[in-house]
Amino acid sequence: MNLTRALGSVGGLTLASRVLGLVRDSLFARFVGASFASDAYLVAFRLPNMFRALFAEGAFSAAFIPMFNTKVGDKTGTGLPHGVDFAQDVLSVLLPILILMTVVLEIAAWPMTLALSGKFNGVSHDQFAFAVLLSRLTIPYLMLISLVSLLGSILNSLHKFWVNAAAPILLNVTLIAALLFFHDHDPYVTARNQAIAVSISGALQLLWLVWACRANGVHMRVRRPRLSPDVKRLLALIWPAAAGAGAVQINLVVSTALAASLLSHGSVTYIYMADRVNQLPLGLIGIGLGTVLLPLISRQLAAGEDKAAMETQNRGMELALLLTLPATVALILCGRPIVAALFQHGKFNAEDTYFTAQALATFSIGLPSYILVKVLTPGFYARADTRTPVRYATISMVVNLVLNLAFIVPLKHMGPPLATALASTVNVALLYRTLRKRGHFVPDHRLRRRTWRLALSALAMGAVLWLLQDLVLPYTHGSWLVRSTAMVVLVAAGGLVYAIASFVLGAFTRDDLAFLQRRRA
């Protein structure tokens, strides 16, 4: 399997989903703005969104895929029917747990919302009751998206990456439709309709994955729950993987709760909107690489191809740096025109843009570490080691909490994003050091040679963008066509400078271009 081609398939669909997500957030900013209604919805959406990241992009797939691949592997496995049999055993145990969890969370929505928001810095009883209602409306999404992750993990193991990568598009399309056709002059009504649409989108994603599995010869049936030895092993692996894969998400929950309880109304929205922009390269690069690397490395290790697994992880790191470094520099330096073009219209004003751009700059400091976590953790999960990442994730969460408490008063809405970025950097440093110490990852000559050259190329691009942003800024407040053109010009200019600098500095050579052309042919 070609790593670049697979990343292109997953990354392209993830990019489409993230772009639709930005369209959704732009419409949300227009119809709801930065207010208590938006804060209440975003807190309600934070928990199911965290579960989506934990299960669909993290814990479940990290534990399930290596085991499923062992069942269906060419050399050591027993074929697809045995893999499906294992998956049905997992479904029979997972479904009752999810139903029970959904019921418990619906009952406990009031204390859960209180824990996530700190009661929103002293709002009225009716306002808090509205926030609890939104939480109850979004909670069913947790169960639905967890089932989606099971079916998506099966398809990823079969190298049908595009099907699972396309599922989040349904979430964004559903929420966009709700905003376009069911918005109201009252932002509270619009926020409530968005919460309803979240759970509807979960049902649509589940139907899409069921159809795709059947089309690929996977017919799942619910059985009487049975704790087979394989299921027990899977459950033992999931819980530590959940904390390990979800460090960034858990850090964001902590940041959201502190911002809602200690800062003024609108701060949660600033942090959320900044995170959404920051998620665009993370979704395109980090999640795409993580999705592709885990099944590929686990298959290589299962076949005894340790050298190939090392090569795969080196090239994954190289791809991550190639795409991440310019994105990091651009988001730090050009946050204001980007945020203005995306969100500044309707109820979202210039002051909201300014504060959101500040939060974006501090979030983006940690963008390389957010993505490198996705590249490094498959080196542990493919070897069935989910405990080491959880230890480091726990350290990262403690660092995040301490830094949040230290930064949130003096830095306000910039404090939580900066704390999250620094905590993620600590996590990456620990993961990298351990893989090196165990001999599971050694940077080869090609990776070492290119890293500093890519960094210099990104800085050269940043210098040009810094000079261009004041020229572009006046064009970020017009029609959609004007704003889109301004962003295209800014991105194209940055991309051109980065490409030229990469060739001049030797980070990317003519031999690489010839190699890519041969692979395409």
Side-chain angles (χ1 to χ4, degrees):
M1 182 180 67
N2 184 284
L3 179 61
T4 305
R5 184 181 302 168
L7 175 61
S9 174
V10 176
L13 287 167
T14 305
L15 176 62
S17 174
R18 299 292 172 161
V19 170
L20 286 173
L22 290 177
V23 173
R24 176 197 82 199
D25 292 331
S26 180
L27 291 171
F28 185 82
R30 176 181 178 182
F31 294 128
V32 183
S35 61
F36 172 75
S38 64
D39 284 359
Y41 166 74
L42 295 174
V43 167
F45 189 45
R46 174 57 69 192
L47 186 64
N49 201 39
M50 183 182 74
F51 265 76
R52 175 195 58 78
L54 287 177
F55 280 84
E57 299 161 7
F60 185 85
S61 59
F64 178 84
I65 288 177
M67 294 184 66
F68 187 87
N69 276 337
T70 300
K71 301 288 184 182
V72 301
D74 294 332
K75 294 184 179 180
T76 60
T78 50
L80 181 60
H82 289 79
V84 174
D85 186 66
F86 164 60
Q88 289 182 147
D89 283 342
V90 173
L91 176 63
S92 70
V93 174
L94 182 63
L95 184 59
I97 293 174
L98 291 172
I99 292 173
L100 178 62
M101 181 182 69
T102 301
V103 172
V104 170
L105 288 176
E106 288 284 358
I107 295 172
W110 192 95
M112 181 189 71
T113 305
L114 179 64
L116 290 174
S117 68
K119 209 172 182 182
F120 294 96
N121 198 13
V123 298
S124 68
H125 176 77
D126 289 342
Q127 285 178 311
F128 187 73
F130 173 75
V132 173
L133 171 65
L134 297 190
S135 294
R136 287 200 167 104
L137 292 173
T138 60
I139 283 171
Y141 185 79
L142 277 66
M143 177 178 69
L144 296 167
I145 203 62
S146 299
L147 295 174
V148 166
S149 72
L150 168 61
L151 302 182
S153 296
I154 294 172
L155 292 169
N156 283 346
S157 296
L158 301 177
H159 292 174
K160 305 296 182 180
F161 298 110
W162 73 272
V163 179
N164 195 35
I169 293 175
L170 292 172
L171 166 67
N172 290 316
V173 169
T174 304
L175 295 181
I176 289 171
L179 283 166
L180 289 175
F181 300 112
F182 298 100
H183 70 269
D184 191 89
H185 69 278
D186 184 353
Y188 285 79
V189 174
T190 305
R192 184 201 63 194
N193 292 341
Q194 280 288 278
I196 295 171
V198 167
S199 291
I200 293 174
S201 74
L204 294 176
Q205 289 178 76
L206 181 58
L207 290 174
W208 162 248
L209 266 296
V210 168
W211 174 84
C213 281
R214 288 181 175 273
N216 285 279
V218 178
H219 300 272
M220 298 288 289
R221 294 177 176 83
V222 180
R223 304 170 173 172
R224 178 179 297 178
R226 182 173 69 93
L227 282 174
S228 66
D230 284 334
V231 172
K232 289 180 181 179
R233 182 166 176 251
L234 177 70
L235 293 175
L237 291 172
I238 284 177
W239 302 118
V248 172
Q249 291 298 321
I250 294 170
N251 286 343
L252 286 172
V253 169
V254 172
S255 301
T256 300
L258 289 172
S261 59
L262 297 177
L263 301 179
S264 60
H265 295 165
S267 295
V268 171
T269 304
Y270 304 147
I271 294 172
Y272 171 83
M273 293 300 184
D275 179 48
R276 290 298 299 165
V277 179
N278 189 56
Q279 287 284 330
L280 185 61
L282 176 58
L284 173 63
I285 308 164
I287 295 171
L289 272 173
T291 300
V292 172
L293 285 174
L294 178 58
L296 180 55
I297 293 174
S298 64
R299 286 252 178 138
Q300 290 169 334
L301 292 175
E305 300 171 355
D306 290 6
K307 186 176 179 181
M310 182 78 74
E311 169 73 11
T312 297
Q313 199 147 22
N314 266 280
R315 300 291 70 80
M317 181 79 77
E318 185 180 298
L319 274 172
L321 294 174
L322 172 71
L323 300 173
T324 303
L325 293 176
T328 301
V329 172
L331 293 180
I332 291 174
L333 296 179
C334 298
R336 192 176 174 192
I338 292 171
V339 172
L342 292 172
F343 305 128
Q344 190 178 322
H345 52 107
K347 297 181 184 298
F348 202 91
N349 57 37
E351 183 182 66
D352 298 330
T353 292
Y354 179 72
F355 291 146
T356 302
Q358 289 181 326
L360 175 59
T362 50
F363 257 133
S364 300
I365 292 171
L367 182 58
S369 62
Y370 304 147
I371 291 175
L372 291 179
V373 165
K374 302 291 186 181
V375 177
L376 294 175
T377 50
F380 295 91
Y381 295 149
R383 296 173 173 87
D385 179 6
T386 59
R387 296 189 178 276
T388 299
V390 75
R391 290 204 312 269
Y392 297 154
T394 302
I395 295 172
S396 171
M397 286 184 283
V398 172
V399 171
N400 178 63
L401 178 59
V402 172
L403 292 179
N404 257 293
L405 294 173
F407 292 160
I408 195 165
V409 173
L411 298 180
K412 297 183 180 179
H413 55 278
M414 292 186 292
L418 182 58
T420 301
L422 296 177
S424 181
T425 303
V426 170
N427 193 14
V428 165
L430 293 171
L431 292 170
Y432 177 79
R433 186 190 66 176
T434 300
L435 285 176
R436 285 293 307 268
K437 185 177 180 181
R438 294 176 179 178
H440 293 161
F441 177 72
V442 178
D444 58 19
H445 174 71
R446 173 174 160 179
L447 177 61
R448 294 195 306 270
R449 183 181 68 83
R450 291 189 174 187
T451 298
W452 67 269
R453 290 177 167 86
L454 290 172
L456 287 179
S457 301
L459 290 175
M461 180 207 71
V464 173
L465 291 182
W466 177 258
L467 297 174
L468 284 178
Q469 66 171 332
D470 287 339
L471 299 175
V472 172
L473 193 59
Y475 299 96
T476 59
H477 310 301
S479 65
W480 267 106
L481 179 60
V482 172
R483 282 182 281 161
S484 299
T485 303
M487 287 297 98
V488 169
V489 169
L490 192 65
V491 171
L496 180 61
V497 172
Y498 182 63
I500 293 173
S502 296
F503 274 107
V504 170
L505 294 171
F508 196 73
T509 66
R510 283 183 294 179
D511 290 340
D512 295 323
L513 184 60
F515 174 75
L516 290 175
Q517 289 174 337
R518 289 197 302 270
R519 294 305 295 261
R520 182 178 298 175

